[in-house]
Amino acid sequence: MSTLTVPDATLAARLHQLYHDQSKHSVYQSVPAFIARALGYQEEIHSLWRSDAPRYDYLAARLDLSAEATIADVGANTGFFTLNLAHAFPHWRVEAYELNPRHAEFIRLTAEGFGLASVTVRSQSCDFAGLERLPRFDAVLLLNVVHHAGFDFDRELPDDNAAYTRYIIAYLQRLRAHARQLVFQIGSNRGGDKSRPVHPRDDDNQRLRWTSDVLRAAGWRMSALGYAQLDDAGAVVFRDAPDALRERANTGALAESENFFAEAKLNRFPGEFHRRPLVIASADEGNT
Ligand SMILES: C[S@@+](CC[C@H](N)C(=O)[O-])C[C@H]1O[C@@H](n2cnc3c(N)ncnc32)[C@H](O)[C@@H]1O
């Protein structure tokens, strides 16, 4: 059980300052509930814009890990996933890789304050070359980071979709040497820029085809495919797509014009962020 070892108000004030650092990815994640409760401190993120807790609930329930697992959270931001995993699974070792030193400090201070000894924060880049320095983990979280290639990192990448798609495949392929399982989510445009779409924003069929194509080409096989839905009370919840749909995606058998959303009885979510599928994948041993 984690304990608070510094005065609440001091920690909350420092975290608030680090959180609002006016950088590209500030004001992104919410504060984990166990920290918010202890400190009386929360940062509000509109739940229809982006919601962390439903993503966490989905992935934490599906990670297939042993008692002493090692996990990397690449592009950990302010540590919503790192801190929640460390709190819920104290025997796992969690390494947060975060390029922004203020975000990294947010995680470090919180982990220290709450006695989360299993957390290590690394302010090092997981760009393409940086992947070589990663140890091997039981699971790597790569959530909404790699579409910033060409802008936040690996800036020499040509500014076009064909080069970008080749890069993503090579990146995911390289990651296979460093991760047994991959938890993956990716934006629909390059660099977080709506004027650089990888596929049309409202075309969920193309989004899934593109995502499953790059994963398959890189040798990953999806074991879970989650989509954000609104439940009857209007809350966001991630639900599994039907197994048959996931298998068709895994084998590249999704038809060009397929309207799988209607077939799978999934509702289209209004916002782009929630339309990004949340995937858990394992190395496809048949594809080396
Ligand atoms: C869009 S946010 C996603 C945060 C989180 N993974 C999520 O889905 O909630 C991307 C994060 O990755 C970090 N980042 C960007 N490039 C990075 C790199 N090369 N290595 C490590 N972190 C990076 C950014 O600072 C930012 O905190």
Side-chain angles (χ1 to χ4, degrees):
M1 193 63 194
S2 53
T3 50
L4 189 62
T5 56
V6 296
D8 322 3
T10 313
L11 179 57
R14 181 69 183 127
L15 294 181
H16 180 71
Q17 192 183 35
L18 289 166
Y19 186 90
H20 290 273
D21 77 341
Q22 310 285 328
S23 65
K24 178 177 175 185
H25 302 292
S26 67
V27 192
Y28 193 94
Q29 293 184 333
S30 38
V31 176
F34 76 96
I35 292 164
R37 269 194 307 274
L39 297 184
Y41 157 64
Q42 180 55 278
E43 302 284 357
E44 293 305 331
I45 301 289
H46 196 301
S47 69
L48 290 185
W49 175 41
R50 195 164 40 233
S51 48
D52 299 322
R55 289 193 290 152
Y56 173 78
D57 290 345
Y58 183 84
L59 70 88
R62 285 162 183 78
L63 279 173
D64 174 21
L65 297 175
S66 65
E68 311 237 314
T70 58
I71 301 179
D73 184 4
V74 169
N77 197 252
T78 45
F80 185 87
F81 296 101
T82 291
L83 296 165
N84 268 311
L85 287 170
H87 179 65
F89 304 99
H91 296 298
W92 291 357
R93 187 165 59 76
V94 189
E95 293 197 7
Y97 290 80
E98 175 49 56
L99 201 50
N100 178 323
R102 271 94 44 201
H103 297 339
E105 182 64 2
F106 185 107
I107 306 171
R108 200 173 286 121
L109 276 182
T110 311
E112 269 171 29
F114 281 79
L116 298 170
S118 63
V119 172
T120 306
V121 185
R122 304 206 184 277
S123 308
Q124 73 189 57
S125 179
C126 294
D127 55 11
F128 189 73
L131 285 185
E132 289 294 354
R133 293 192 292 276
L134 276 190
R136 183 163 171 84
F137 292 92
D138 293 306
V140 169
L141 275 53
L142 182 66
L143 299 170
N144 308 300
V145 178
V146 77
H147 63 284
H148 293 288
F151 300 86
D152 291 18
F153 55 96
D154 287 331
R155 294 194 175 87
E156 69 285 0
L157 184 62
D159 192 8
D160 68 74
N161 278 344
Y164 168 78
T165 300
R166 281 195 300 275
Y167 171 93
I168 298 294
I169 293 170
Y171 188 101
L172 293 174
Q173 222 159 19
R174 181 169 274 201
L175 197 55
R176 279 183 51 187
H178 306 274
R180 190 169 63 76
Q181 278 182 90
L182 172 67
V183 185
F184 184 59
Q185 209 175 16
I186 189 165
S188 309
N189 54 55
R190 291 178 283 115
D193 179 351
K194 288 181 187 143
S195 72
R196 291 180 163 90
V198 179
H199 31 67
R201 179 198 173 283
D202 291 328
D203 191 332
D204 296 294
N205 193 38
Q206 279 203 49
R207 181 179 285 108
L208 177 57
R209 284 181 54 226
W210 185 89
T211 306
S212 53
D213 283 353
V214 294
L215 283 166
R216 193 177 58 262
W220 292 97
R221 185 177 179 80
M222 296 186 285
S223 56
L225 170 63
Y227 277 101
Q229 301 281 278
L230 288 177
D231 68 11
D232 293 342
V236 180
V237 58
F238 274 78
R239 296 216 168 100
D240 285 318
D243 290 351
L245 173 66
R246 178 168 45 81
E247 271 319 295
R248 283 211 303 288
N250 269 332
T251 53
L254 289 175
E256 182 93 24
S257 59
E258 184 167 351
N259 183 0
F260 69 81
F261 258 57
E263 179 200 327
K265 297 193 172 54
L266 291 165
N267 295 314
R268 288 175 195 278
F269 204 95
E272 187 273 329
F273 185 86
H274 285 99
R275 284 168 171 244
R276 302 175 185 179
L278 182 50
V279 166
I280 301 187
S282 302
D284 184 352
E285 299 310 334
N287 179 353
T288 48

